[in-house]
Amino acid sequence: MKPLHSLSATEALSNLVTGRISSEALVLACLQQIARHEPQIRAWQHLDAQAALHACRASDAMRASGGSIGKLHGLPVAIKDNMDTADMPTTYGSPLYAGHLPVRDAAVVSMLRAEGAIILGKTVSTEFAYFTPGPTHNPHRPGYTPGGSSSGSAAAVAAGMVPLALGTQTNGSVIRPAAFCGVLGYKPAAGLIARDGVLDTSHTLDQVGCFARTVDDLELLAHCLAPTLTDRSVETTARLRIAILNSELLSHAEDGTRALLQRTSEQLANAGLSVSQIDLGPWHAYANQAHRTIMQSEMAQALAPERVRGETQLSPALLELMNAGDNTSAVAYLDALRARGPLQERMDQLLASHDVMLMPSAPGAAPEGLGSTGSPLFCSMISLLGWPAMHLPTSEDAQGLPLGLQLVARPGDEAKLGTAARQIMQLAGRPDGAPLAAGMA
Amino acid sequence: MKPLHSLSATEALSNLVTGRISSEALVLACLQQIARHEPQIRAWQHLDAQAALHACRASDAMRASGGSIGKLHGLPVAIKDNMDTADMPTTYGSPLYAGHLPVRDAAVVSMLRAEGAIILGKTVSTEFAYFTPGPTHNPHRPGYTPGGSSSGSAAAVAAGMVPLALGTQTNGSVIRPAAFCGVLGYKPAAGLIARDGVLDTSHTLDQVGCFARTVDDLELLAHCLAPTLTDRSVETTARLRIAILNSELLSHAEDGTRALLQRTSEQLANAGLSVSQIDLGPWHAYANQAHRTIMQSEMAQALAPERVRGETQLSPALLELMNAGDNTSAVAYLDALRARGPLQERMDQLLASHDVMLMPSAPGAAPEGLGSTGSPLFCSMISLLGWPAMHLPTSEDAQGLPLGLQLVARPGDEAKLGTAARQIMQLAGRPDGAPLAAGMA
C-alpha cells in the first residue's frame, strides 16, 4: 500500500471499510506529514492533534461496533479558517479575531461531522478571504504563493497533510489556489451549499468549494455538502461536447497556459470528443468589471463593523477595496447586478450546443513571492455567474510548477463536469489524480 | 336584484352560474356606469368597450355550450396601466409611453384571461407608479385625490365601474388608494404573485395587489393570481388574537383615524376577540427610512433609460427621487436591505402571540386636491417587510369621506387575514362590503 498520507479519500475509505487501515492510523500519518512539513509550508491556522486523535479513535470504535456511519467516516478533513467551528478558534484571517471562538459550527462543518469526518484543524485564509496573504508557502516551491484566499486548504492537500479540505470562493479563491498548488478544486453552483456560519463578505458572490487530489474525492466531499447535487447516474453517456473559451482577456494568459489549452483541445478532439471554440469577445472583461463593482460594494458593507472596530489592523489592500466600495453608488451596484442577466443569456447561447467549457484557471503558474496571491482574472466571471467550476491540475511548467485548466458547466450539469474532468485527467496521464508536491510523497 | 353594476364579483358569479344574468348584461351595466361617471372621475387610461362586448358574448356562448370555464368566467376586471397588455396600449402613466403596445400580456393578465375574466381596460396609474398623479378624481368627492399609484383601479371599483381591479404597491399604492376611495385593497405577501410584464421600478419592493368591494371578492381574485395562497380551509377557528400597532409614528395619524382604531379595538374586544397593543417604538420610522433608501436607489437604476430618453418628460417629483437615488451609496443601499432582518425579527417577536395586526392605512381621509396622492407613512414598512396587508373601509369621517384601517398578517397567514377582515367588516356594520360612492349606486 502507498503511504497512508498519500491515499486519496476514496482509497482510504475503501481500506477503512475493509478494515485494512484504521482511522487512527490514517490520522496519525496525516499528523506526521504535518509535523514534517508544516514548519516550512505553514498551511494551518489551528491544529488540534489531540482532539483529532480522540475523534478518530472514537470513529474506529464506532465502526467496529457496527453502528451507523457516514459517508466520510474516519476521514481527516481540513476547514478553511473563515468557517465557524465551535471547538476551534476562527480568525477569518484577521488579527481582529485572534482567538475568537464561535458559538456554533458552520452548517458545512456540521454536515461533515454528521458524515463522520475528522476535523483536523483550520487552514490559513487570507485576510477576510480577500487578497492580503497569510504565511503559507506553495508546497511545490517555497517562496512562491500558494494562491488565495483558500491558501492553507490547497497547500495542505497538495502536501499530503489531508486528503480533503473546504474553501470558499468570492472571486478566485478556490480555483486559483488549486491551480497554483496543483490539486483539484471544485466550486459547485452558487446557492447549492449552505453558507450559514461562513464569513459573509459578499452575499452575491460568496460560494463554498472543495479541494482534493482526485475527481472522485471532490465529488464525494461535494455530495456530502449539497444534497441537491445530481448524482452520477445522470451523467451523460453521449460524446461530450467541449467548448474552448476565447475572449479578449485570453491574451493575458501566459504562453504556457495557452499552449496547454491548445494541447488539451487537440487531445480531446483526437480522443473523439467534439471540441469547438466559442468567443465571448469583450463580455469577459465587462463581466469582470461587474464582479469588481459588486464585490467592493458588498465587502465595504459587510466589513464596515470591522473597520470601525480596528481600522489600523486592516491591510492597505482591504482598505483600498473598501474605499472603492464606499465610493460606489447604489445605481452602479444595481447596474452590475443586472449585468448578470444579459451575460448569462450570452453564455447560454454560446454554450447551447456544448456540455462543458474549458478555459484557463490563472494566467500562468504560481508567481514568486508571498506578497500577492496572484491574479483572479479567469475566475471572476465564473464567480459572477455562480456556475460550477473545477480546476484540473494536468501539467507542469518548465520549472516544475503546477499548471492546469478550469472546466466550467452550467448549473445542473455538475455530472457532466465530473465526466469531462475524468476524461481530461486520463488524457493528461493522471488517471489517479494529482501527484503530491515533490518531496511530500 | 340590485343594479348589475353594484353587484360584487361573487354575487355576479352566482347569478352567472344560475343563468339569471349574462356576462353581456353585466359588462353592459359596467360600461353604462363608466359612460355616466367617467367624464368626472377619469379612472380609465384606456377602455375598449367593443372588445369587452365581443369577449363577454363569447364568454356567454362558451358557458351556454357547457365548455370548461374558469373561476372568473364572464366577470369584468380592470388592469392598472403599469401592467402589459398585448391588445391595449400600456403607458405606465408616462407620456414617454403614449400609445406603447407591449408584445405580450403580463403574467397576471394572462392568468385572469385564463380564468375567463373580461379585461375591460386599463386604469390610470401615477407616473411610473410613483407619486405624480394622473387626472383621476376621488369618486366620493371631486377635487379630492383618489390616492395613488393605483388611482384608477381604486376609483373604478369605488364608482361601481367594475367589481374587480388589479393594482401594484411599491410603497403604499394599493392600501392608500383603497383607503381614500373606500374600497377593499389586498396586497398578498411579496413573491406570491408573478411580476413578469409588470413595470419594474423596485425589484425589492414592487408587489401586485387587488381591489374589490368585499373580502370574498378580494380572495377570489387573489387566489386566481397566487396558486400558493392557502385556501380558506386552513383559516383559524380559534379566537383570533389581534395586535394593535403603536409606534412613534402613530402620532402622525389624525384624530379621526386614531379614534377609529380605538373604537375598532373595543368592538373586537367586546366581541370576544383577544386584543392587545404592541409597541414598535422607533423601529417604524427606521423601517420607513430603509424603505426610502431602497426605493430611491432601485427606481433611479430602473428608470435611468427613461431619463436618458426623455428627461424633460419626467415629473419634478420623480427626478427628485431619482437624484436622491443617484446620490445614495451602494453601502447605504445594502445597509437598508440588511435592516429588513432585524426588523422582521422584531416584528416576529412582537407578534409571536398574535394572529393579525391592525394599524392605520393612512394618516386620515383623502386630502383635497389632485396634486398629491397623500402620505404613504403607514404603508412603507409593510411594503418593506413584504407582508400581506388588507385595507378595510369601515367608516367615514365627518365630511363623509371614507376612513378605514389596515390589517396585516405574517406571510402564510393570509387565511387569518381573511377571517379577521370578515369579522371587522361585520362589526363595522358592513357585512356585505363597502358601499359604492354616493351617487354611484
Side-chain angles (χ1 to χ4, degrees), chain A residues 2 4-17 21 26 30 63 71-77 157 162-165 211-221 432:
Chain A
K2 292 191 276 188
L4 296 194
H5 74 270
S6 70
L7 293 180
S8 74
T10 311
E11 287 169 332
L13 206 55
S14 62
N15 283 299
L16 283 165
V17 167
I21 67 172
L26 181 63
C30 289
R63 188 184 287 278
K71 297 191 190 74
L72 304 175
H73 195 86
L75 287 181
V77 177
V157 171
V162 68
L164 300 174
F211 296 92
R213 294 187 300 268
T214 73
V215 181
D216 286 350
D217 281 12
L218 278 186
E219 291 192 344
L220 171 69
L221 184 54
D432 298 326

Side-chain angles (χ1 to χ4, degrees), chain A residues 359-375:
Chain A
M359 62 183 288
S361 295
E368 188 170 6
L370 297 188
S372 151
T373 55
S375 165

